[in-house]
Amino acid sequence: MQIPHIPVLPKEVNHLFEKLNEGVFLDCTLGYGGHSENLLKMHPNLHLIACDQDEEALKFSKERLREFDTRIKLYHSNFSQILEQIDLRNLRGILADIGVSSLHLDKDERGFSLRSNFLDMRMDKNQPLSAFDVINNYSKEKLANIFKIYGELKNGDFLAEKIIRARARKQIASAKELCEILGDTRLKNRKISQAILAFQALRIEVNKELEVLELFLQKLEKAHLKDCILAIICFHSLEDRIVKNYFKKWAKACICDERSLRCECGANHNLGAILNKKPLTPSQEEIKVNPRSSCAKMRAFYFK
């Protein structure tokens, strides 16, 4: 079976969950099953619940994990929606790898790559909004905001203006064409081109990635999880910042006003503890094998 995607931080994920002997593990972003397969092999008494919004990925992983079929249950679902669909009482581990898979980038018709002949970027092909719709229908102001906020591009207004002018002549039909309009030049003092950052921003808008992540974390906060390890792998600074802030909030025992002279709340409001103060990142050895892992960051939290 040809595997189309290499999971990031596999050693770190395995180590984080190495003490799981039994119970249920939730893989919120199953993808092509790399992390789930490793954990099922490591823990013969562990049961897996997994979801993905990409039907192609689900079909592949169902076949890949066939030898474990008595221990797995798969859902076609966005990870922000899975918590309402399952029993959380025996949940002992949760993993959310919220990056784009190699197959998304490499498969031309998915329209994620700078050189793609399509302009799509939908992780769930059933959703109505695509990158084509955003690029050809959004106002200049909305496009500029996407580039400035999600792409952290200071010249977002300039890039939006270039798109408006180009689409006035004809529809922008491919990622390749969009890349040529934006310009694939490397930004000063940065190791990445403005086209890559603009594409990341566009992908975040199409799939509502930050909103989905916020909703997922809000639901976890109210889920009353016990004795459960949560790990989230991010590839974008905005996503990582959201996760970091939620973990800090959850680990805070005292919720008194900061101006209070002494604690009056009992200092017992923390949901658990942060397991790694600094995010885990790929080793140079891993980056050599899988260059796409270079910007991955994993943070972990233990629900007590």
Side-chain angles (χ1 to χ4, degrees):
M1 190 177 201
Q2 187 174 357
I3 309 299
H5 177 69
I6 303 173
V8 302
L9 298 166
K11 292 180 181 179
E12 291 78 3
V13 169
N14 291 345
H15 178 70
L16 181 66
F17 295 107
E18 66 181 352
K19 294 183 180 180
L20 291 183
N21 296 316
E22 55 186 9
V24 176
F25 184 86
L26 171 62
D27 189 340
C28 295
T29 47
L30 176 63
Y32 292 87
H35 287 303
S36 285
E37 182 181 44
N38 289 339
L39 291 168
L40 286 166
K41 286 179 177 177
M42 286 173 58
H43 307 289
N45 296 320
L46 192 67
H47 285 74
L48 172 76
I49 294 175
C51 70
D52 205 285
Q53 59 185 331
D54 189 322
E55 291 178 315
E56 187 176 2
L58 274 176
K59 183 178 180 182
F60 180 93
S61 291
K62 184 177 182 181
E63 179 63 25
R64 180 177 185 173
L65 303 176
R66 185 169 53 177
E67 64 177 290
F68 310 105
D69 61 353
T70 59
R71 292 198 280 141
I72 65 174
K73 190 169 184 179
L74 307 184
Y75 291 80
H76 177 224
S77 172
N78 185 288
F79 68 86
S80 69
Q81 301 167 342
I82 189 63
L83 295 175
E84 293 102 341
Q85 302 178 56
I86 65 174
D87 186 346
L88 305 177
R89 288 174 294 181
N90 204 28
L91 204 57
R92 295 294 171 261
I94 305 172
L95 174 66
D97 177 349
I98 54 178
V100 181
S101 77
S102 295
L103 192 64
H104 284 143
L105 295 170
D106 295 337
K107 205 161 188 178
D108 188 55
E109 61 264 33
R110 298 306 296 267
F112 284 88
S113 167
L114 300 183
R115 302 303 169 197
S116 175
N117 293 300
F118 298 83
L119 188 55
D120 195 321
M121 299 192 188
R122 291 174 297 170
M123 292 182 182
D124 180 353
K125 291 192 286 187
N126 294 317
Q127 74 175 44
L129 184 70
S130 71
F132 176 89
D133 301 317
V134 173
I135 289 299
N136 287 287
N137 297 322
Y138 273 28
S139 67
K140 177 184 173 181
E141 291 72 25
K142 287 186 72 173
L143 288 171
N145 284 335
I146 289 169
F147 295 141
K148 286 189 284 189
I149 297 172
Y150 297 157
E152 298 177 293
L153 288 160
K154 294 180 181 179
N155 63 340
D157 292 298
F158 174 67
L159 297 178
E161 179 62 31
K162 292 178 79 172
I163 290 170
I164 297 297
R165 289 179 180 176
R167 78 185 193 193
R169 295 189 292 270
K170 70 178 188 67
Q171 284 186 324
I172 301 169
S174 71
K176 186 188 300 182
E177 187 180 352
L178 177 60
C179 181
E180 290 173 358
I181 293 165
L182 295 172
D184 194 16
T185 55
R186 182 165 293 185
L187 294 169
K188 186 178 181 181
N189 300 324
R190 299 183 75 170
K191 298 179 180 179
I192 196 168
S193 75
Q194 66 179 13
I196 291 176
L197 291 174
F199 270 56
Q200 286 179 349
L202 185 56
R203 191 198 78 216
I204 289 171
E205 171 65 17
V206 168
N207 297 288
K208 306 301 179 188
E209 293 177 28
L210 299 186
E211 292 96 322
V212 169
L213 176 59
E214 284 266 11
L215 182 58
F216 175 63
L217 292 166
Q218 289 167 8
K219 290 180 179 180
L220 282 173
E221 187 174 315
K222 301 173 182 177
H224 305 294
L225 298 174
K226 301 293 181 183
D227 190 22
C228 181
I229 295 172
L230 165 68
I232 301 181
I233 302 174
C234 297
F235 292 79
H236 192 284
S237 61
L238 294 178
E239 294 167 340
D240 182 61
R241 198 176 304 149
I242 290 171
V243 173
K244 177 183 177 180
N245 289 337
Y246 267 88
F247 283 12
K248 285 176 66 177
K249 175 186 174 185
W250 295 347
K252 193 172 182 179
C254 176
I255 59 172
C256 293
D257 191 302
E258 293 180 356
R259 294 168 293 182
S260 298
L261 296 177
R262 60 188 178 88
C263 175
E264 297 178 351
C265 72
N268 61 351
H269 294 274
N270 60 314
L271 300 182
I274 298 170
L275 296 181
N276 52 323
K277 296 297 182 182
K278 293 185 177 180
L280 299 177
T281 56
S283 64
Q284 288 303 312
E285 181 183 0
E286 179 179 353
I287 293 172
K288 285 180 182 178
V289 176
N290 181 17
R292 288 173 176 167
S293 71
S294 62
C295 54
K297 293 181 178 180
M298 182 168 73
R299 297 184 185 271
F301 188 89
Y302 174 70
F303 290 98
K304 63 182 181 179

